[in-house]
Amino acid sequence: MTDKHALIQPDRGQPATALHLVDKATLPDFLKSLNPGQRAALMAQKFEGGGYEHAIIPDGDGWFAVAGVANVNDLSSWCMAKLADVLPGGTYRRAGAEPGKALHGWVTGQYRFDRYRKDAKDTEPRILLTKDVARIEPVLAEAAAVLVVRDLVNTPAEDMGPLQLESEVRALAKRHHAEVHVVAGDSLEHDYPMVHAVGRAAARSHAPRMIEMEWGDPKHPRVAIVGKGVCFDSGGLDIKPSSGMALMKKDMGGAAHAIALAVLIMALGLKIRLHLLVPAVENAISGNAFRPGDILRSRQGLSVEITNTDAEGRLVLGDALARASELKPELIIDFATLTGAARVALGPDLPALFARRSETAQGLITAGLERDDPCWQLPLHEGYREYLKSDVADLLNAPASGFAGASTAALFLDRFVGEGLDWAHFDTFAWRPAAKPGRPKGGDALGLRAAWGLLKARYG
């Protein structure tokens, strides 16, 4: 992949190929500005000014590009992303205006995951110039965080197990002088019993652990970021069918989001006391796997009846949220690829958002819309708590009714968050089933930029 830090540079008048953006309304006037040969070239390429259309136009000894967008005065993050993918390597500038929000897609549109490809080739980067120099650092930081999610999620489970997630956090901590604490083995069984139970059937090389990192001035507001780190999910003894297991390398997508958000916070020096928590496990099958009917103790002290071993993510998150709550943070945000019900309700593009406080939910929704990273709030409906009642334990992990699956999972998590704490939960897919400009098929960040926007608005 190209060096993302070189893809946007200050415009100091250096030589660059012009990029003309037009929409249906401005296309007629643009055509009048062309000479007959250029208009002919445009027509030969069947350019009509539609979104993501582009054409190459000769201009003396050189050339320029023209691209269609929905509204030239209101660019999205993705308006120039396809250009960054299809144009030849070189340096470019938008003619007559600044790229604005489209800078983000220019960077993410050049992403390639080629770690395992023998025929991978280095491509010459497409560099975009901007006079809006103040945008460059935050845009590059947001794009870099998105690419962290993509790389972590795209990496298969054999190379991205609990140990590798720990290594990622340790490398991040080393770069930013943060503190890391990892609990594993007998201590994990005692301190985080649900994390241990879910992960104990895995091979020794994929042994479970709780990964914690703290960074920032202790005097600053404490914010906890929690990510579900199920590095592979077989379903446990309630084994998934092969079709349901095919993408389960992405079941640590919540951890990838949490780590990437930590990358953003630390790179841009947000004035918070960051507490990152990643319960990292593989939900495997062996003679010591936890079973349907088992009753697990949790860190918080609640007992949980296991009705489905494939509802394991909420178990490891429960212990992590309990730990986060003990330090009384101002805000807790968790990310998890938690329920198929959220995908049935909202599809792959929209993370389901749950929040205790309406102002937090609205802040996340607003920040997501501003960054073209939308999320959709679903209810923490009190009436559905009865679905979590167990005859033999404090609660069960997977209601049999099948109703309101995303909400009941969120209500399960809510039981482990400290009373009165501000908490938001993203049930995200972390995956693009089909490519879009700036967003290739595969692992992707969904909800990350929304969360960052809220944190920046509160603590920036």
Side-chain angles (χ1 to χ4, degrees):
M1 179 190 148
T2 56
D3 179 6
K4 56 185 174 296
H5 297 292
L7 301 183
I8 303 172
Q9 296 182 10
D11 190 346
R12 300 188 176 94
Q14 59 267 55
T17 301
L19 303 175
H20 294 266
L21 303 186
V22 300
D23 54 27
K24 296 285 188 179
T26 59
L27 180 58
D29 285 340
F30 178 73
L31 290 173
K32 293 176 184 177
S33 72
L34 303 178
N35 63 43
Q38 291 172 330
R39 283 195 293 272
L42 198 62
M43 287 188 291
Q45 295 172 72
K46 298 182 180 180
F47 181 84
E48 297 179 348
Y52 302 126
E53 290 184 11
H54 79 283
I56 303 296
I57 308 300
D59 187 23
D61 293 333
W63 59 276
F64 61 84
V66 57
V69 298
N71 185 343
V72 293
N73 297 314
D74 186 20
L75 300 187
S76 77
S77 297
W78 318 115
C79 283
M80 299 177 70
K82 186 172 181 180
L83 292 174
D85 183 35
V86 299
L87 291 177
T91 301
Y92 298 88
R93 68 163 55 84
R94 182 186 175 188
E98 291 299 310
K101 290 169 63 175
L103 289 168
H104 178 81
W106 186 270
V107 179
T108 61
Q110 297 186 57
Y111 173 83
R112 303 288 184 275
F113 184 72
D114 53 17
R115 173 175 172 177
Y116 299 94
R117 294 187 66 91
K118 190 174 182 180
D119 61 351
K121 297 177 181 177
D122 287 333
T123 57
E124 185 182 353
R126 292 87 167 172
I127 297 166
L128 186 60
L129 304 179
T130 179
K131 293 180 180 177
D132 194 357
V133 177
R135 277 186 181 264
I136 294 177
E137 183 182 12
V139 165
L140 287 175
E142 286 192 32
V146 168
L147 303 195
V148 166
V149 174
R150 292 179 183 179
D151 279 344
L152 293 179
V153 173
N154 285 331
T155 303
E158 183 62 21
D159 294 331
M160 190 52 64
L163 177 60
Q164 287 77 20
L165 278 182
E166 178 186 333
S167 297
E168 292 288 334
V169 174
R170 288 192 182 278
L172 176 60
K174 185 176 182 180
R175 290 197 301 273
H176 294 280
H177 309 290
E179 305 162 12
V180 176
H181 179 61
V182 177
V183 179
D186 293 341
S187 296
L188 185 73
E189 184 174 8
H190 179 268
D191 294 345
Y192 300 98
M194 292 200 296
V195 177
H196 173 266
V198 172
R200 70 192 185 200
R204 182 179 298 179
S205 60
H206 284 61
R209 65 206 66 207
M210 174 64 77
I211 306 163
E212 291 186 80
M213 182 185 75
E214 289 196 283
W215 170 88
D217 190 334
K219 296 177 182 178
H220 289 158
R222 176 175 285 272
V223 175
I225 308 297
V226 184
K228 172 189 167 185
V230 178
C231 296
F232 189 81
D233 181 18
S234 69
L237 293 177
D238 288 306
I239 190 169
K240 294 177 181 288
S242 58
S243 59
M245 218 182 295
L247 284 182
M248 283 301 99
K249 69 175 183 179
K250 78 170 186 66
D251 213 20
M252 40 61 68
H257 280 71
I259 292 169
L261 187 53
V263 168
L264 252 178
I265 290 166
M266 298 162 79
L268 295 180
L270 198 65
K271 295 186 182 302
I272 64 171
R273 178 64 171 176
L274 170 65
H275 187 193
L276 172 70
L277 301 101
V278 175
V281 302
E282 179 177 337
N283 187 19
I285 301 171
S286 72
N288 67 337
F290 77 119
R291 298 164 288 261
D294 284 354
I295 297 176
L296 304 184
R297 278 284 164 195
S298 67
R299 179 180 179 87
Q300 193 189 61
L302 290 171
S303 59
V304 179
E305 179 188 1
I306 303 304
T307 52
N308 189 335
T309 63
D310 196 21
E312 83 300 328
R314 64 198 70 183
L315 301 174
V316 300
L317 281 174
D319 272 355
L321 289 167
R323 167 59 182 158
S325 299
E326 290 165 7
L327 300 177
K328 305 297 181 186
E330 278 195 8
L331 175 65
I332 301 174
I333 300 176
D334 82 70
F335 298 89
T337 52
L338 204 62
T339 68
R343 305 286 65 80
V344 171
L346 301 177
D349 292 350
L350 286 173
L353 167 66
F354 299 85
R356 282 180 169 177
R357 299 182 185 176
S358 58
E359 63 269 24
T360 299
Q362 190 55 54
L364 289 164
I365 291 166
T366 299
L369 292 174
E370 289 172 350
R371 287 167 169 76
D372 302 304
D373 186 23
C375 51
W376 199 273
Q377 187 178 12
L378 294 182
L380 287 166
H381 179 53
E382 286 296 320
Y384 293 156
R385 289 191 189 275
E386 65 182 31
Y387 293 155
L388 295 171
K389 290 181 179 178
S390 166
D391 294 333
V392 293
D394 294 319
L395 68 166
L396 50 80
N397 76 320
S401 70
F403 296 135
S407 286
T408 54
L411 287 166
F412 180 94
L413 299 181
D414 180 74
R415 291 292 301 273
F416 296 89
V417 178
E419 185 176 354
L421 294 178
D422 190 3
W423 166 64
H425 159 59
F426 281 98
D427 189 337
T428 186
F429 194 42
W431 190 264
R432 294 275 179 193
K436 297 180 180 180
R439 295 149 290 177
K441 180 180 178 181
D444 206 1
L446 298 162
L448 171 69
R449 297 173 73 206
W452 167 244
L454 173 74
L455 293 178
K456 188 177 179 183
R458 285 195 182 182
Y459 305 109

